[in-house]
Amino acid sequence: QKEVEQDPGPLSVPEGAIVSLNCTYSNSAFQYFMWYRQYSRKGPELLMYTYSSGNKEDGRFTAQVDKSSKYISLFIRDSQPSDSATYLCAMGVHSNYQLIWGAGTKLIIKP
Amino acid sequence: DTAVSQTPKYLVTQMGNDKSIKCEQNLGHDTMYWYKQDSKKFLKIMFSYNNKELIINETVPNRFSPKSPDKAHLNLHINSLELGDSAVYFCASRRTGEGEKLFFGSGTQLSVL
């Protein structure tokens, strides 16, 4: 079993819909959680960073962490075609230099 | 004003050749990484350097050799290239103590024929 599980998709939704992207993990020692967005032929860019259970909001994006269930989510409101990309979750422990990555979910927003 | 820059962006070469990929960051970060991303988009860490010292050395064929001449540069040299080396290679960097936020370069698409 992988440490971090993420459905690779693709997930296709109409413009304006609320998108929910998820990752589950097995290591209860993880202390921080991130979402990266990767456009085609580009490097991943950090979208959201959080280290506690609960919600964190930034514009149309909300990151949610449930440590008791070992489950993290990224919600995108009012989705736009420009949100079409691969979304990767990543997590780790502060004392370790290494991030553990999900496989990435390909998201397609149809106009 | 590119933060993490890699060269070349594309690299097409024959099996058995030796090639290098260069990475430079101008963010003042002290830790740099090489990642390999396969066709299914899975990111696999290869190496990491902190202040020019190798701190992560994953199970990677010894045909791959990283070199960090200073904190701002981390190069990757690959000997005797094989078909399975075809992938996108990303350089990334971060500053110790500022969370674990990685900044990535735009990648080098390596195609071995």
Side-chain angles (χ1 to χ4, degrees):
Chain A
Q1 183 191 4
K2 289 181 182 173
E3 275 193 284
V4 178
E5 298 278 358
Q6 184 177 12
D7 187 335
L11 175 63
S12 183
V13 300
E15 183 176 356
I18 296 175
V19 174
S20 172
L21 303 165
N22 310 296
C23 288
T24 58
Y25 61 95
S26 56
N27 188 350
S28 57
F30 287 142
Q31 296 172 298
Y32 58 89
F33 307 88
M34 293 185 275
W35 286 95
Y36 281 79
R37 177 177 61 196
Q38 185 177 19
Y39 290 116
S40 182
R41 300 185 187 281
K42 298 287 186 183
E45 57 177 330
L46 181 64
L47 204 55
M48 299 288 283
Y49 173 91
T50 183
Y51 52 85
S52 58
S53 281
N55 294 352
K56 181 177 181 179
E57 193 174 312
D58 184 1
R60 296 184 296 112
F61 299 90
T62 299
Q64 187 176 79
V65 174
D66 183 345
K67 288 188 177 181
S68 61
S69 301
K70 299 192 186 72
Y71 189 89
I72 68 170
S73 300
L74 178 71
F75 298 97
I76 307 174
R77 290 185 300 280
D78 187 25
S79 55
Q80 305 294 312
S82 58
D83 295 327
S84 298
T86 296
Y87 290 79
L88 301 116
C89 64
M91 48 198 80
V93 178
H94 286 304
S95 59
N96 192 317
Y97 284 94
Q98 226 185 105
L99 281 176
I100 308 301
W101 294 84
T105 299
K106 183 172 183 177
L107 175 66
I108 301 167
I109 309 295
K110 297 176 294 186
Chain B
D1 60 343
T2 305
V4 182
S5 58
Q6 294 178 231
T7 53
K9 191 170 177 62
Y10 299 98
L11 189 50
V12 181
T13 188
Q14 300 286 332
M15 270 197 323
N17 283 350
D18 302 340
K19 290 292 179 186
S20 292
I21 306 172
K22 295 186 175 182
C23 179
E24 175 182 4
Q25 53 93 4
N26 62 6
L27 297 167
H29 289 170
D30 57 0
T31 306
M32 296 183 72
Y33 299 77
W34 277 112
Y35 278 89
K36 179 181 180 180
Q37 188 173 48
D38 59 27
S39 57
K40 294 185 178 178
K41 295 291 189 181
F42 189 73
L43 272 170
K44 181 181 176 184
I45 192 167
M46 300 174 71
F47 303 103
S48 178
Y49 273 76
N50 175 257
N51 286 319
K52 301 196 299 174
E53 180 185 344
L54 182 65
I55 55 171
I56 295 175
N57 186 0
E58 287 296 297
T59 306
V60 173
N62 56 17
R63 299 181 294 104
F64 290 79
S65 53
K67 278 195 171 52
S68 181
D70 54 57
K71 286 196 304 183
H73 296 83
L74 180 61
N75 304 323
L76 184 65
H77 188 74
I78 315 169
N79 288 329
S80 303
L81 277 155
E82 299 178 358
L83 292 176
D85 298 332
S86 296
V88 181
Y89 292 83
F90 286 102
C91 177
S93 71
R94 72 173 184 91
R95 188 195 306 273
T96 306
E98 286 188 354
E100 314 305 331
K101 301 169 188 176
L102 284 179
F103 291 79
F104 283 82
S106 56
T108 296
Q109 171 81 58
L110 173 63
S111 299
V112 182
L113 307 177

